[in-house]
PDB file of all heavy atoms in Angstrom:
ATOM      1  N   SER A  21     112.258 134.392  97.171  1.00 97.00           N
ATOM      2  CA  SER A  21     111.444 135.554  96.760  1.00 97.00           C
ATOM      3  C   SER A  21     111.650 135.875  95.265  1.00 97.00           C
ATOM      4  O   SER A  21     110.692 136.226  94.577  1.00 97.00           O
ATOM      5  CB  SER A  21     111.829 136.781  97.595  1.00 97.00           C
ATOM      6  OG  SER A  21     111.505 136.541  98.963  1.00 97.00           O
ATOM      7  N   ARG A  22     112.873 135.777  94.795  1.00 97.00           N
ATOM      8  CA  ARG A  22     113.172 136.021  93.386  1.00 97.00           C
ATOM      9  C   ARG A  22     112.366 135.041  92.515  1.00 97.00           C
ATOM     10  O   ARG A  22     111.761 135.432  91.514  1.00 97.00           O
ATOM     11  CB  ARG A  22     114.657 135.898  93.124  1.00 97.00           C
ATOM     12  CG  ARG A  22     115.054 136.228  91.690  1.00 97.00           C
ATOM     13  CD  ARG A  22     116.508 135.948  91.424  1.00 97.00           C
ATOM     14  NE  ARG A  22     116.804 134.529  91.540  1.00 97.00           N
ATOM     15  CZ  ARG A  22     116.601 133.654  90.531  1.00 97.00           C
ATOM     16  NH1 ARG A  22     116.086 134.044  89.399  1.00 97.00           N
ATOM     17  NH2 ARG A  22     116.922 132.396  90.723  1.00 97.00           N
ATOM     18  N   ASP A  23     112.398 133.774  92.899  1.00 97.00           N
ATOM     19  CA  ASP A  23     111.626 132.749  92.131  1.00 97.00           C
ATOM     20  C   ASP A  23     110.144 133.026  92.193  1.00 97.00           C
ATOM     21  O   ASP A  23     109.427 132.857  91.166  1.00 97.00           O
ATOM     22  CB  ASP A  23     111.931 131.360  92.687  1.00 97.00           C
ATOM     23  CG  ASP A  23     113.342 130.896  92.423  1.00 97.00           C
ATOM     24  OD1 ASP A  23     113.974 131.464  91.534  1.00 97.00           O
ATOM     25  OD2 ASP A  23     113.818 129.981  93.088  1.00 97.00           O
ATOM     26  N   SER A  24     109.643 133.451  93.342  1.00 96.00           N
ATOM     27  CA  SER A  24     108.206 133.726  93.466  1.00 96.00           C
ATOM     28  C   SER A  24     107.802 134.901  92.563  1.00 96.00           C
ATOM     29  O   SER A  24     106.777 134.876  91.879  1.00 96.00           O
ATOM     30  CB  SER A  24     107.883 134.071  94.902  1.00 96.00           C
ATOM     31  OG  SER A  24     108.058 132.947  95.790  1.00 96.00           O
ATOM     32  N   LEU A  25     108.636 135.942  92.536  1.00 97.00           N
ATOM     33  CA  LEU A  25     108.322 137.094  91.713  1.00 97.00           C
ATOM     34  C   LEU A  25     108.371 136.729  90.201  1.00 97.00           C
ATOM     35  O   LEU A  25     107.497 137.123  89.446  1.00 97.00           O
ATOM     36  CB  LEU A  25     109.324 138.231  91.959  1.00 97.00           C
ATOM     37  CG  LEU A  25     109.173 138.963  93.313  1.00 97.00           C
ATOM     38  CD1 LEU A  25     110.375 139.868  93.561  1.00 97.00           C
ATOM     39  CD2 LEU A  25     107.858 139.783  93.316  1.00 97.00           C
ATOM     40  N   SER A  26     109.358 135.926  89.829  1.00 96.00           N
ATOM     41  CA  SER A  26     109.431 135.486  88.413  1.00 96.00           C
ATOM     42  C   SER A  26     108.189 134.671  88.051  1.00 96.00           C
ATOM     43  O   SER A  26     107.590 134.854  86.981  1.00 96.00           O
ATOM     44  CB  SER A  26     110.673 134.644  88.199  1.00 96.00           C
ATOM     45  OG  SER A  26     111.849 135.383  88.443  1.00 96.00           O
ATOM     46  N   ARG A  27     107.792 133.773  88.909  1.00 96.00           N
ATOM     47  CA  ARG A  27     106.671 132.923  88.653  1.00 96.00           C
ATOM     48  C   ARG A  27     105.337 133.742  88.568  1.00 96.00           C
ATOM     49  O   ARG A  27     104.494 133.536  87.666  1.00 96.00           O
ATOM     50  CB  ARG A  27     106.520 131.840  89.726  1.00 96.00           C
ATOM     51  CG  ARG A  27     105.411 130.835  89.455  1.00 96.00           C
ATOM     52  CD  ARG A  27     105.542 129.655  90.440  1.00 96.00           C
ATOM     53  NE  ARG A  27     105.483 130.094  91.788  1.00 96.00           N
ATOM     54  CZ  ARG A  27     106.539 130.107  92.620  1.00 96.00           C
ATOM     55  NH1 ARG A  27     107.727 129.720  92.181  1.00 96.00           N
ATOM     56  NH2 ARG A  27     106.424 130.472  93.870  1.00 96.00           N
ATOM     57  N   ARG A  28     105.210 134.710  89.466  1.00 96.00           N
ATOM     58  CA  ARG A  28     104.009 135.536  89.429  1.00 96.00           C
ATOM     59  C   ARG A  28     103.927 136.368  88.177  1.00 96.00           C
ATOM     60  O   ARG A  28     102.845 136.537  87.584  1.00 96.00           O
ATOM     61  CB  ARG A  28     103.983 136.442  90.672  1.00 96.00           C
ATOM     62  CG  ARG A  28     103.763 135.660  91.965  1.00 96.00           C
ATOM     63  CD  ARG A  28     103.886 136.496  93.199  1.00 96.00           C
ATOM     64  NE  ARG A  28     103.851 135.678  94.428  1.00 96.00           N
ATOM     65  CZ  ARG A  28     103.900 136.162  95.640  1.00 96.00           C
ATOM     66  NH1 ARG A  28     104.026 137.490  95.810  1.00 96.00           N
ATOM     67  NH2 ARG A  28     103.833 135.349  96.681  1.00 96.00           N
ATOM     68  N   LEU A  29     105.032 136.835  87.695  1.00 96.00           N
ATOM     69  CA  LEU A  29     105.061 137.614  86.439  1.00 96.00           C
ATOM     70  C   LEU A  29     104.706 136.707  85.254  1.00 96.00           C
ATOM     71  O   LEU A  29     103.941 137.097  84.379  1.00 96.00           O
ATOM     72  CB  LEU A  29     106.405 138.264  86.221  1.00 96.00           C
ATOM     73  CG  LEU A  29     106.718 139.489  87.138  1.00 96.00           C
ATOM     74  CD1 LEU A  29     108.205 139.784  87.139  1.00 96.00           C
ATOM     75  CD2 LEU A  29     105.915 140.677  86.665  1.00 96.00           C
ATOM     76  N   ARG A  30     105.288 135.486  85.243  1.00 95.00           N
ATOM     77  CA  ARG A  30     104.984 134.604  84.116  1.00 95.00           C
ATOM     78  C   ARG A  30     103.571 134.100  84.118  1.00 95.00           C
ATOM     79  O   ARG A  30     103.084 133.641  83.100  1.00 95.00           O
ATOM     80  CB  ARG A  30     105.975 133.417  84.154  1.00 95.00           C
ATOM     81  CG  ARG A  30     107.404 133.778  83.794  1.00 95.00           C
ATOM     82  CD  ARG A  30     108.259 132.560  83.489  1.00 95.00           C
ATOM     83  NE  ARG A  30     108.360 131.683  84.680  1.00 95.00           N
ATOM     84  CZ  ARG A  30     109.274 131.736  85.597  1.00 95.00           C
ATOM     85  NH1 ARG A  30     110.236 132.646  85.504  1.00 95.00           N
ATOM     86  NH2 ARG A  30     109.286 130.883  86.622  1.00 95.00           N
ATOM     87  N   ASN A  31     102.908 134.201  85.247  1.00 96.00           N
ATOM     88  CA  ASN A  31     101.500 133.809  85.327  1.00 96.00           C
ATOM     89  C   ASN A  31     100.505 134.989  85.131  1.00 96.00           C
ATOM     90  O   ASN A  31      99.291 134.776  85.198  1.00 96.00           O
ATOM     91  CB  ASN A  31     101.215 133.145  86.689  1.00 96.00           C
ATOM     92  CG  ASN A  31     101.836 131.746  86.795  1.00 96.00           C
ATOM     93  OD1 ASN A  31     102.063 131.092  85.750  1.00 96.00           O
ATOM     94  ND2 ASN A  31     102.148 131.328  87.982  1.00 96.00           N
ATOM     95  N   THR A  32     101.060 136.176  84.893  1.00 95.00           N
ATOM     96  CA  THR A  32     100.211 137.318  84.651  1.00 95.00           C
ATOM     97  C   THR A  32     100.586 138.013  83.335  1.00 95.00           C
ATOM     98  O   THR A  32     100.436 139.234  83.227  1.00 95.00           O
ATOM     99  CB  THR A  32     100.295 138.337  85.822  1.00 95.00           C
ATOM    100  OG1 THR A  32     101.696 138.637  86.098  1.00 95.00           O
ATOM    101  CG2 THR A  32      99.676 137.740  87.079  1.00 95.00           C
ATOM    102  N   GLY A  33     101.043 137.228  82.364  1.00 94.00           N
ATOM    103  CA  GLY A  33     101.161 137.755  81.028  1.00 94.00           C
ATOM    104  C   GLY A  33     102.581 138.113  80.613  1.00 94.00           C
ATOM    105  O   GLY A  33     102.758 138.692  79.506  1.00 94.00           O
ATOM    106  N   TYR A  34     103.607 137.813  81.410  1.00 93.00           N
ATOM    107  CA  TYR A  34     104.961 138.221  81.056  1.00 93.00           C
ATOM    108  C   TYR A  34     105.870 137.024  80.890  1.00 93.00           C
ATOM    109  O   TYR A  34     106.582 136.619  81.838  1.00 93.00           O
ATOM    110  CB  TYR A  34     105.541 139.166  82.109  1.00 93.00           C
ATOM    111  CG  TYR A  34     104.781 140.449  82.252  1.00 93.00           C
ATOM    112  CD1 TYR A  34     103.744 140.568  83.176  1.00 93.00           C
ATOM    113  CD2 TYR A  34     105.072 141.545  81.411  1.00 93.00           C
ATOM    114  CE1 TYR A  34     103.040 141.774  83.303  1.00 93.00           C
ATOM    115  CE2 TYR A  34     104.346 142.704  81.515  1.00 93.00           C
ATOM    116  CZ  TYR A  34     103.338 142.835  82.461  1.00 93.00           C
ATOM    117  OH  TYR A  34     102.591 144.013  82.563  1.00 93.00           O
ATOM    118  N   PRO A  35     105.869 136.367  79.722  1.00 91.00           N
ATOM    119  CA  PRO A  35     106.618 135.114  79.539  1.00 91.00           C
ATOM    120  C   PRO A  35     108.130 135.281  79.608  1.00 91.00           C
ATOM    121  O   PRO A  35     108.839 134.310  79.911  1.00 91.00           O
ATOM    122  CB  PRO A  35     106.177 134.655  78.149  1.00 91.00           C
ATOM    123  CG  PRO A  35     105.762 135.912  77.451  1.00 91.00           C
ATOM    124  CD  PRO A  35     105.162 136.773  78.499  1.00 91.00           C
ATOM    125  N   ASP A  36     108.648 136.479  79.342  1.00 90.00           N
ATOM    126  CA  ASP A  36     110.096 136.710  79.326  1.00 90.00           C
ATOM    127  C   ASP A  36     110.625 137.398  80.572  1.00 90.00           C
ATOM    128  O   ASP A  36     111.741 137.910  80.559  1.00 90.00           O
ATOM    129  CB  ASP A  36     110.480 137.515  78.079  1.00 90.00           C
ATOM    130  CG  ASP A  36     110.124 136.800  76.776  1.00 90.00           C
ATOM    131  OD1 ASP A  36     110.310 135.557  76.734  1.00 90.00           O
ATOM    132  OD2 ASP A  36     109.654 137.466  75.870  1.00 90.00           O
ATOM    133  N   ALA A  37     109.807 137.426  81.625  1.00 93.00           N
ATOM    134  CA  ALA A  37     110.179 138.195  82.820  1.00 93.00           C
ATOM    135  C   ALA A  37     111.423 137.613  83.465  1.00 93.00           C
ATOM    136  O   ALA A  37     111.601 136.392  83.553  1.00 93.00           O
ATOM    137  CB  ALA A  37     109.021 138.185  83.813  1.00 93.00           C
ATOM    138  N   GLU A  38     112.296 138.480  83.909  1.00 95.00           N
ATOM    139  CA  GLU A  38     113.485 138.084  84.692  1.00 95.00           C
ATOM    140  C   GLU A  38     113.583 138.980  85.915  1.00 95.00           C
ATOM    141  O   GLU A  38     113.274 140.178  85.862  1.00 95.00           O
ATOM    142  CB  GLU A  38     114.744 138.240  83.845  1.00 95.00           C
ATOM    143  CG  GLU A  38     114.876 137.250  82.688  1.00 95.00           C
ATOM    144  CD  GLU A  38     116.213 137.330  82.036  1.00 95.00           C
ATOM    145  OE1 GLU A  38     117.191 136.775  82.608  1.00 95.00           O
ATOM    146  OE2 GLU A  38     116.279 137.947  80.953  1.00 95.00           O
ATOM    147  N   VAL A  39     114.013 138.405  86.997  1.00 97.00           N
ATOM    148  CA  VAL A  39     114.166 139.125  88.263  1.00 97.00           C
ATOM    149  C   VAL A  39     115.579 138.913  88.773  1.00 97.00           C
ATOM    150  O   VAL A  39     116.079 137.775  88.862  1.00 97.00           O
ATOM    151  CB  VAL A  39     113.136 138.668  89.306  1.00 97.00           C
ATOM    152  CG1 VAL A  39     113.357 139.422  90.623  1.00 97.00           C
ATOM    153  CG2 VAL A  39     111.688 138.846  88.782  1.00 97.00           C
ATOM    154  N   PHE A  40     116.263 140.016  89.121  1.00 97.00           N
ATOM    155  CA  PHE A  40     117.621 139.972  89.630  1.00 97.00           C
ATOM    156  C   PHE A  40     117.607 140.516  91.059  1.00 97.00           C
ATOM    157  O   PHE A  40     116.860 141.447  91.373  1.00 97.00           O
ATOM    158  CB  PHE A  40     118.543 140.808  88.743  1.00 97.00           C
ATOM    159  CG  PHE A  40     118.552 140.427  87.320  1.00 97.00           C
ATOM    160  CD1 PHE A  40     117.685 141.076  86.414  1.00 97.00           C
ATOM    161  CD2 PHE A  40     119.331 139.418  86.843  1.00 97.00           C
ATOM    162  CE1 PHE A  40     117.640 140.695  85.079  1.00 97.00           C
ATOM    163  CE2 PHE A  40     119.356 139.056  85.504  1.00 97.00           C
ATOM    164  CZ  PHE A  40     118.502 139.702  84.630  1.00 97.00           C
ATOM    165  N   VAL A  41     118.398 139.895  91.908  1.00 97.00           N
ATOM    166  CA  VAL A  41     118.453 140.299  93.290  1.00 97.00           C
ATOM    167  C   VAL A  41     119.826 140.829  93.664  1.00 97.00           C
ATOM    168  O   VAL A  41     120.828 140.268  93.201  1.00 97.00           O
ATOM    169  CB  VAL A  41     118.044 139.130  94.219  1.00 97.00           C
ATOM    170  CG1 VAL A  41     119.008 137.930  94.051  1.00 97.00           C
ATOM    171  CG2 VAL A  41     117.973 139.556  95.673  1.00 97.00           C
ATOM    172  N   GLY A  42     119.859 141.864  94.451  1.00 96.00           N
ATOM    173  CA  GLY A  42     121.135 142.433  94.969  1.00 96.00           C
ATOM    174  C   GLY A  42     120.933 142.963  96.355  1.00 96.00           C
ATOM    175  O   GLY A  42     119.752 143.140  96.811  1.00 96.00           O
ATOM    176  N   TYR A  43     122.002 143.129  97.072  1.00 96.00           N
ATOM    177  CA  TYR A  43     121.878 143.575  98.466  1.00 96.00           C
ATOM    178  C   TYR A  43     123.153 144.337  98.900  1.00 96.00           C
ATOM    179  O   TYR A  43     124.223 144.182  98.304  1.00 96.00           O
ATOM    180  CB  TYR A  43     121.644 142.417  99.424  1.00 96.00           C
ATOM    181  CG  TYR A  43     122.760 141.408  99.462  1.00 96.00           C
ATOM    182  CD1 TYR A  43     123.804 141.558 100.365  1.00 96.00           C
ATOM    183  CD2 TYR A  43     122.741 140.307  98.607  1.00 96.00           C
ATOM    184  CE1 TYR A  43     124.862 140.661 100.405  1.00 96.00           C
ATOM    185  CE2 TYR A  43     123.788 139.388  98.649  1.00 96.00           C
ATOM    186  CZ  TYR A  43     124.829 139.583  99.512  1.00 96.00           C
ATOM    187  OH  TYR A  43     125.845 138.635  99.588  1.00 96.00           O
ATOM    188  N   ASP A  44     122.977 145.207  99.889  1.00 96.00           N
ATOM    189  CA  ASP A  44     124.049 145.906 100.555  1.00 96.00           C
ATOM    190  C   ASP A  44     123.925 145.668 102.048  1.00 96.00           C
ATOM    191  O   ASP A  44     122.807 145.771 102.594  1.00 96.00           O
ATOM    192  CB  ASP A  44     124.004 147.413 100.269  1.00 96.00           C
ATOM    193  CG  ASP A  44     124.242 147.749  98.815  1.00 96.00           C
ATOM    194  OD1 ASP A  44     125.180 147.188  98.220  1.00 96.00           O
ATOM    195  OD2 ASP A  44     123.425 148.545  98.245  1.00 96.00           O
ATOM    196  N   THR A  45     125.002 145.363 102.687  1.00 95.00           N
ATOM    197  CA  THR A  45     124.971 145.137 104.152  1.00 95.00           C
ATOM    198  C   THR A  45     125.548 146.356 104.860  1.00 95.00           C
ATOM    199  O   THR A  45     126.502 146.998 104.375  1.00 95.00           O
ATOM    200  CB  THR A  45     125.754 143.887 104.535  1.00 95.00           C
ATOM    201  OG1 THR A  45     127.116 143.998 104.060  1.00 95.00           O
ATOM    202  CG2 THR A  45     125.117 142.633 103.981  1.00 95.00           C
ATOM    203  N   HIS A  46     124.959 146.692 106.015  1.00 95.00           N
ATOM    204  CA  HIS A  46     125.391 147.817 106.823  1.00 95.00           C
ATOM    205  C   HIS A  46     125.727 147.252 108.201  1.00 95.00           C
ATOM    206  O   HIS A  46     124.894 147.112 109.079  1.00 95.00           O
ATOM    207  CB  HIS A  46     124.265 148.864 106.930  1.00 95.00           C
ATOM    208  CG  HIS A  46     123.645 149.171 105.604  1.00 95.00           C
ATOM    209  ND1 HIS A  46     124.318 149.855 104.584  1.00 95.00           N
ATOM    210  CD2 HIS A  46     122.429 148.901 105.085  1.00 95.00           C
ATOM    211  CE1 HIS A  46     123.544 149.979 103.551  1.00 95.00           C
ATOM    212  NE2 HIS A  46     122.380 149.407 103.823  1.00 95.00           N
ATOM    213  N   VAL A  47     127.042 146.887 108.344  1.00 94.00           N
ATOM    214  CA  VAL A  47     127.444 146.134 109.504  1.00 94.00           C
ATOM    215  C   VAL A  47     127.234 146.928 110.813  1.00 94.00           C
ATOM    216  O   VAL A  47     126.734 146.374 111.802  1.00 94.00           O
ATOM    217  CB  VAL A  47     128.952 145.773 109.369  1.00 94.00           C
ATOM    218  CG1 VAL A  47     129.420 145.053 110.629  1.00 94.00           C
ATOM    219  CG2 VAL A  47     129.201 144.935 108.132  1.00 94.00           C
ATOM    220  N   ALA A  48     127.582 148.188 110.776  1.00 95.00           N
ATOM    221  CA  ALA A  48     127.463 148.990 112.032  1.00 95.00           C
ATOM    222  C   ALA A  48     126.003 149.077 112.492  1.00 95.00           C
ATOM    223  O   ALA A  48     125.707 149.071 113.685  1.00 95.00           O
ATOM    224  CB  ALA A  48     128.052 150.392 111.797  1.00 95.00           C
ATOM    225  N   ALA A  49     125.074 149.181 111.515  1.00 94.00           N
ATOM    226  CA  ALA A  49     123.660 149.303 111.880  1.00 94.00           C
ATOM    227  C   ALA A  49     122.950 147.953 111.976  1.00 94.00           C
ATOM    228  O   ALA A  49     121.798 147.890 112.327  1.00 94.00           O
ATOM    229  CB  ALA A  49     122.971 150.147 110.818  1.00 94.00           C
ATOM    230  N   HIS A  50     123.703 146.888 111.677  1.00 94.00           N
ATOM    231  CA  HIS A  50     123.113 145.561 111.738  1.00 94.00           C
ATOM    232  C   HIS A  50     121.887 145.432 110.827  1.00 94.00           C
ATOM    233  O   HIS A  50     120.858 144.834 111.194  1.00 94.00           O
ATOM    234  CB  HIS A  50     122.729 145.164 113.182  1.00 94.00           C
ATOM    235  CG  HIS A  50     123.891 145.173 114.117  1.00 94.00           C
ATOM    236  ND1 HIS A  50     124.874 144.184 114.118  1.00 94.00           N
ATOM    237  CD2 HIS A  50     124.226 146.036 115.116  1.00 94.00           C
ATOM    238  CE1 HIS A  50     125.759 144.467 115.050  1.00 94.00           C
ATOM    239  NE2 HIS A  50     125.396 145.586 115.676  1.00 94.00           N
ATOM    240  N   THR A  51     121.977 146.037 109.634  1.00 96.00           N
ATOM    241  CA  THR A  51     120.874 145.993 108.681  1.00 96.00           C
ATOM    242  C   THR A  51     121.416 145.690 107.305  1.00 96.00           C
ATOM    243  O   THR A  51     122.648 145.712 107.068  1.00 96.00           O
ATOM    244  CB  THR A  51     120.120 147.351 108.604  1.00 96.00           C
ATOM    245  OG1 THR A  51     121.027 148.354 108.200  1.00 96.00           O
ATOM    246  CG2 THR A  51     119.519 147.697 109.989  1.00 96.00           C
ATOM    247  N   ALA A  52     120.510 145.411 106.395  1.00 96.00           N
ATOM    248  CA  ALA A  52     120.873 145.173 105.003  1.00 96.00           C
ATOM    249  C   ALA A  52     119.768 145.700 104.108  1.00 96.00           C
ATOM    250  O   ALA A  52     118.588 145.707 104.502  1.00 96.00           O
ATOM    251  CB  ALA A  52     121.075 143.649 104.722  1.00 96.00           C
ATOM    252  N   THR A  53     120.149 146.157 102.951  1.00 96.00           N
ATOM    253  CA  THR A  53     119.176 146.662 101.964  1.00 96.00           C
ATOM    254  C   THR A  53     119.127 145.642 100.807  1.00 96.00           C
ATOM    255  O   THR A  53     120.170 145.279 100.253  1.00 96.00           O
ATOM    256  CB  THR A  53     119.592 148.023 101.416  1.00 96.00           C
ATOM    257  OG1 THR A  53     119.694 148.946 102.480  1.00 96.00           O
ATOM    258  CG2 THR A  53     118.561 148.522 100.424  1.00 96.00           C
TER     259      THR A  53
END
Side-chain angles (χ1 to χ4, degrees):
S21 297
R22 184 185 66 82
D23 291 341
S24 296
L25 287 170
S26 298
R27 185 169 57 253
R28 292 173 186 182
L29 286 164
R30 291 194 298 269
N31 288 333
T32 52
Y34 297 94
D36 298 320
E38 291 188 78
V39 179
F40 304 93
V41 61
Y43 62 89
D44 295 313
T45 56
H46 313 292
V47 178
H50 301 286
T51 61
T53 302

